[in-house]
Amino acid sequence: MSDLKTIEAYNKNAEDYHTRFHITEPNKALKMFMNSLPTGGRVLDLGCGPGHWSLLMQNAGFEIDATDASEEMVKIAKEECGVRARQATFDEISDKNTYDGVWANFSLLHANREDFPRHLAAIYQALKPGGAFHIGMKLGTDAKRDRLDRFYTFYEEDDLKKHLTTSGFNILNVKTGEEVGLACTKDAFALILAEKPEN
């Protein structure tokens, strides 16, 4: 179930997000992800926001399917970043062995804790054998709303790793740190690169 308050917060703040967090060069995490993909591979950008990451991957020669639950984010992704984007929620992941990679950068943190394993299972099925999965999540132990009324579920690093391995993924790399987001709070985060095994 999608959280309507979270979606509305992104609709209201879409242009601000696009302006404040616009990126023009791949960071280390994106480079690592792209290096794990076959040339011209197909990628699902799950929770694409204004399409910044999708555009960088598209410019690198990958075939991008970008989705976001926010209508305004999808509009910016299509009209200002020029990527193929559509409005969809996590519950609409239904592909089987379709993608060489799934990029979920600070999107699945908006899912309820009880739904998280189901979404991971859907991502696993959507990936081809050997496919790469990048996930960015904020670290913590609780679930709450920020000052913009966005809902977050927090996980400890070890808990995230357990969820991924239980879902069948092999973990390739983990990076942790802190950053300031749209709500102007500094939060701890983890970036994890995993893969669906070949067999």
Side-chain angles (χ1 to χ4, degrees), residues 5-189:
K5 289 183 178 179
T6 300
I7 295 171
E8 184 57 28
Y10 279 117
N11 282 334
K12 289 179 179 178
N13 294 279
E15 194 61 50
D16 183 35
Y17 189 101
H18 173 51
T19 301
R20 287 175 57 188
F21 300 103
H22 185 69
I23 51 175
T24 58
E25 295 291 336
N27 62 8
K28 185 176 180 180
L30 181 57
K31 288 178 182 177
M32 189 179 302
F33 175 74
M34 292 193 296
N35 287 339
S36 68
L37 303 174
T39 301
R42 188 176 179 186
V43 177
L44 171 64
D45 186 350
L46 184 64
C48 66
H52 300 158
W53 303 105
S54 286
L55 178 58
L56 291 173
M57 288 187 278
Q58 181 174 280
N59 289 343
F62 297 103
E63 180 184 354
I64 305 301
D65 293 338
T67 67
D68 201 279
S70 163
E71 179 182 3
E72 292 302 315
M73 287 292 197
V74 168
K75 182 178 179 181
I76 292 172
K78 292 168 67 174
E79 296 181 0
E80 299 191 40
C81 289
V83 300
R84 184 173 66 184
R86 60 186 173 87
Q87 189 174 4
T89 68
F90 304 141
D91 290 310
E92 296 175 69
I93 307 170
S94 59
D95 301 280
K96 310 293 183 185
N97 298 322
T98 301
Y99 295 103
D100 298 290
V102 174
W103 177 265
N105 198 54
F106 298 101
S107 55
L108 285 166
L109 43 68
H110 296 304
N112 289 321
R113 195 176 304 277
E114 58 268 26
D115 294 329
F116 190 54
R118 176 167 55 84
H119 296 322
L120 290 179
I123 290 168
Y124 187 90
Q125 290 190 14
L127 281 166
K128 298 176 182 177
F133 176 40
H134 165 93
I135 181 170
M137 300 284 282
K138 293 187 178 183
L139 297 178
T141 58
D142 57 353
K144 64 181 181 180
R145 294 188 183 275
D146 66 8
R147 69 175 186 85
L148 301 177
D149 222 9
R150 296 178 298 175
F151 174 80
Y152 286 91
T153 302
F154 299 89
Y155 297 86
E156 295 286 7
E157 179 184 339
D158 287 344
D159 197 24
L160 275 177
K161 292 177 182 176
K162 183 177 179 180
H163 273 291
L164 289 168
T165 55
T166 299
S167 298
F169 290 100
N170 294 328
I171 295 173
L172 303 179
N173 186 267
V174 180
K175 177 190 175 183
T176 59
E178 290 185 339
E179 67 178 3
V180 177
L182 186 64
C184 300
T185 58
K186 180 181 282 190
D187 300 304
F189 67 84

